[in-house]
Amino acid sequence: GESVGLHLPTLSVQEGDNSIINCAYSNSASDYFIWYKQESGKGPQFIIDIRSNMDKRQGQRVTVLLNKTVKHLSLQIAATQPGDSAVYFCAEKETGRRALTFGSGTRLQVQP
Amino acid sequence: GAGVSQSPSNKVTEKGKDVELRCDPISGHTALYWYRQSLGQGLEFLIYFQGNSAPDKSGLPSDRFSAERTGGSVSTLTIQRTQQEDSAVYLCASSPRQEMNTEAFFGQGTRLTVV
């Protein structure tokens, strides 16, 4: 079933290109950040996380960058594939809390 | 189990009726979360369990919403006297460790439609 709305910002890229998805957060007390991928009808899937004492972390084909000065988080996907098409959410966690606060999401469309 | 399991996957109910949504977390996971996802919006935190206790229930939108967890495993989210604005996908997640900064694994959700 549908898990995302009709008015999400959309990033459209060609297969093989690199994708950059951005996220702004507002809570200066956030100490932990996660990127999730959500495909239609499924729950969010963990991609990569980063703690506030870091500014960059790399995974397989993905890199997360954290700029605490301007409260900005980005997800870079290298060599984007059709299977990467989904809605991507950033999430932040405030120090001392367990709950995650999610952004509104960005839809990534990969054109073959 | 292999992942977080939620049931039912879809639920249609009449306005004013009560509903129960079930979550089976990954075996051994001590932390359990409920979130709600409305169309066009991100995920909204509802409640967090550590074991059977709920140290953070700040996201429950009204006293019509309640949740419990028994045996440190299965959790039930109950919505009483459902309203149309309760229509959403209700997602459950669990985490393997007590440390604060760790990822949560999500189930596929229960789509609730109140008519």
Side-chain angles (χ1 to χ4, degrees):
Chain A
E2 282 292 325
S3 60
V4 296
L6 301 175
H7 303 292
L8 287 173
T10 298
L11 175 65
S12 186
V13 301
Q14 292 292 320
E15 181 179 357
D17 287 352
N18 296 333
S19 303
I20 300 176
I21 301 171
N22 296 302
C23 178
Y25 66 95
S26 58
N27 190 350
S28 57
S30 293
D31 65 354
Y32 179 60
F33 305 86
I34 305 179
W35 280 100
Y36 281 94
K37 171 186 180 183
Q38 188 173 29
E39 297 172 287
S40 183
K42 298 183 178 180
Q45 176 187 1
F46 172 86
I47 300 174
I48 192 168
D49 60 0
I50 188 168
R51 289 165 171 71
S52 59
N53 60 353
M54 303 171 68
D55 53 22
K56 180 179 180 179
R57 190 163 189 227
Q58 289 185 295
Q60 188 177 15
R61 281 202 308 119
V62 295
T63 301
V64 56
L65 298 177
L66 174 63
N67 185 330
K68 294 181 288 295
T69 302
V70 296
K71 298 191 184 69
H72 185 267
L73 194 68
S74 69
L75 176 70
Q76 300 178 0
I77 305 174
T80 314
Q81 303 168 359
D84 295 328
S85 294
V87 176
Y88 289 79
F89 292 96
C90 65
E92 59 181 297
K93 189 195 72 64
E94 182 178 323
T95 303
R97 291 195 71 201
R98 290 295 294 255
L100 291 169
T101 300
F102 283 77
S104 56
T106 297
R107 186 188 303 276
L108 177 65
Q109 293 181 337
V110 183
Q111 309 297 329
Chain B
V4 177
S5 178
Q6 292 186 245
S7 61
S9 54
N10 282 282
K11 175 71 176 179
V12 180
T13 190
E14 292 182 354
K15 178 182 174 181
K17 296 286 180 69
D18 298 351
V19 295
E20 283 189 354
L21 311 180
R22 177 188 169 103
C23 172
D24 282 274
I26 295 172
S27 179
H29 282 197
T30 57
L32 185 147
Y33 311 78
W34 283 99
Y35 286 83
R36 177 169 71 174
Q37 187 172 31
S38 301
L39 193 64
Q41 299 186 25
L43 282 73
E44 173 190 9
F45 168 76
L46 297 178
I47 187 169
Y48 153 64
F49 286 93
Q50 182 63 42
N52 291 338
S53 64
D56 189 348
K57 53 180 74 172
S58 62
L60 294 177
S62 76
D63 58 9
R64 296 187 295 106
F65 287 71
S66 63
E68 64 175 13
R69 189 179 185 195
T70 56
S73 180
V74 172
S75 177
T76 302
L77 177 69
T78 301
I79 308 173
Q80 297 178 305
R81 305 181 301 282
T82 52
Q83 303 295 314
Q84 288 186 330
E85 60 263 28
D86 299 334
S87 297
V89 176
Y90 289 82
L91 290 156
C92 176
S94 67
S95 291
R97 299 183 292 272
Q98 290 193 13
E99 63 186 81
M100 284 285 181
N101 294 341
T102 183
E103 71 272 22
F105 298 87
F106 282 83
Q108 294 199 16
T110 293
R111 173 172 295 281
L112 175 66
T113 303
V114 182
V115 297

